[in-house]
Amino acid sequence: MIASSLLQGRGWLVAVESAVVSFRTPDQVVEDEPWESTGSATLAAVTPWRTFRWYKGQKHYSGTYWSSTMRDHVIYESRLELARLLFDDFAPSVRRILAQPFLLKADVEGKRRKHIPDYLLITGDGPVVVDVKPRHRVTKPEVAFTFAWTRRVVEARGWQYVVWSELPPAVLENVRFLAGYRRDWLFDGALLDEVRAMGLDGRTLGELGELLPEREPEEIRSVALHLLWGGEVVTDLSTPISSRHVLKVPQ
């Protein structure tokens, strides 16, 4: 048995046991492997278990996003999933992002339950399983029940489980804006080194254009925004990015 727990807000005492996982790799489909013994290195190479579909009148906005973390496209099934994908692509600790990574099955209250999480993140702090859901739907009984038993199964092996709704609007808009500067091949390496050597710590974005007069200010600002995306410098993202924003070099 993996766990027995009282699910918050509902008073359910739920026994979860015998979890198995199914996943796809570029070469094969693996079904019903024991969850506890399926390593993160194996799951880090999976392809989506379920791909999205397009049909007339669909409510969700599906698509693909080019991830600078993956150096490849990652799928999403809604605008909210795309927002989370942007957030994870921006996060320095995230090393891999796997969409629709596996089918998890577990016996819960005497019934076989199934769930496909939205993302699996391989991070410097260990694997993180993420489900994305609008805040108004998280408390629906069937949704809360699924997330509760999924959490027990994931956390039982020491992994993190996150149910995510949305970022504060200003932070999301800033991350979305910075994502426009994520493609490193568009930036001249020599100029990147020049800007790094300027001593960015404590300077504002507006100051940077004056420090290399032989370069166009817009070119310098674009490089600084690329460095912000890459985490080489940071700034306050709680307000819209402007020329007044102060840059800091992480310690």
Side-chain angles (χ1 to χ4, degrees), residues 181 191 195 198 204-225:
Y181 298 86
L191 180 57
V195 173
M198 286 164 39
T204 66
L205 277 171
E207 290 179 285
L208 300 184
E210 305 169 3
L211 300 179
L212 291 175
E214 70 278 13
R215 298 282 193 172
E216 292 294 331
E218 292 82 5
E219 194 176 18
I220 303 301
R221 184 170 181 268
S222 293
V223 167
L225 293 171

Side-chain angles (χ1 to χ4, degrees), residues 53-106:
R53 300 166 298 279
W54 287 287
Y55 56 90
K56 184 177 180 180
Q58 73 177 27
K59 296 180 180 180
H60 297 297
Y61 179 89
S62 303
T64 59
Y65 164 83
W66 188 85
S67 162
S68 59
T69 300
M70 296 296 292
R71 314 298 295 178
D72 201 354
H73 287 88
V74 180
I75 67 170
Y76 58 88
E77 291 189 309
S78 69
R79 291 186 182 274
L80 192 58
E81 285 189 17
L82 174 58
R84 176 69 201 203
L85 187 49
L86 285 164
F87 175 71
D88 291 326
D89 201 27
F90 178 62
S93 67
V94 176
R95 298 170 182 170
R96 290 190 64 76
I97 306 170
L98 295 312
Q100 310 290 328
F102 49 76
L103 171 64
L104 191 62
K105 303 176 187 176

Side-chain angles (χ1 to χ4, degrees), residues 6-122:
L6 191 66
L7 302 190
Q8 292 183 354
R10 294 292 300 176
W12 294 320
L13 185 63
V14 176
V16 183
E17 53 186 315
S18 63
V20 296
V21 62
S22 300
F23 54 89
R24 304 178 192 276
T25 71
D27 303 319
Q28 62 180 331
V29 176
V30 179
E31 296 197 61
D32 295 343
E33 286 290 295
W35 168 245
E36 294 88 346
S37 60
T38 305
S40 59
T42 298
L43 295 177
V46 299
T47 59
W49 179 261
R50 178 188 68 208
T51 57
F52 51 73
R53 300 166 298 279
W54 287 287
Y55 56 90
K56 184 177 180 180
Q58 73 177 27
K59 296 180 180 180
H60 297 297
Y61 179 89
S62 303
T64 59
Y65 164 83
W66 188 85
S67 162
S68 59
T69 300
M70 296 296 292
R71 314 298 295 178
D72 201 354
H73 287 88
V74 180
I75 67 170
Y76 58 88
E77 291 189 309
S78 69
R79 291 186 182 274
L80 192 58
E81 285 189 17
L82 174 58
R84 176 69 201 203
L85 187 49
L86 285 164
F87 175 71
D88 291 326
D89 201 27
F90 178 62
S93 67
V94 176
R95 298 170 182 170
R96 290 190 64 76
I97 306 170
L98 295 312
Q100 310 290 328
F102 49 76
L103 171 64
L104 191 62
K105 303 176 187 176
D107 293 327
V108 183
E109 293 189 330
K111 294 183 179 180
R112 176 54 61 100
R113 311 284 180 171
K114 301 179 182 181
H115 180 55
I116 304 172
D118 294 314
Y119 294 108
L120 169 65
L121 311 177
I122 306 300

Side-chain angles (χ1 to χ4, degrees), residues 184-242:
D184 51 9
W185 67 86
L186 298 178
F187 296 88
D188 177 66
L191 180 57
L192 282 166
D193 290 338
E194 283 186 70
V195 173
R196 291 184 181 109
M198 286 164 39
L200 300 178
D201 195 58
R203 298 190 184 276
T204 66
L205 277 171
E207 290 179 285
L208 300 184
E210 305 169 3
L211 300 179
L212 291 175
E214 70 278 13
R215 298 282 193 172
E216 292 294 331
E218 292 82 5
E219 194 176 18
I220 303 301
R221 184 170 181 268
S222 293
V223 167
L225 293 171
H226 175 65
L227 296 177
L228 271 170
W229 171 263
E232 293 189 44
V233 290
V234 297
T235 194
D236 176 22
L237 297 181
S238 64
T239 60
I241 292 175
S242 71

Side-chain angles (χ1 to χ4, degrees), residues 168-182:
V171 175
L172 176 57
E173 289 306 311
N174 281 331
V175 172
R176 183 178 285 126
F177 171 70
L178 290 174
Y181 298 86
R182 69 189 185 277

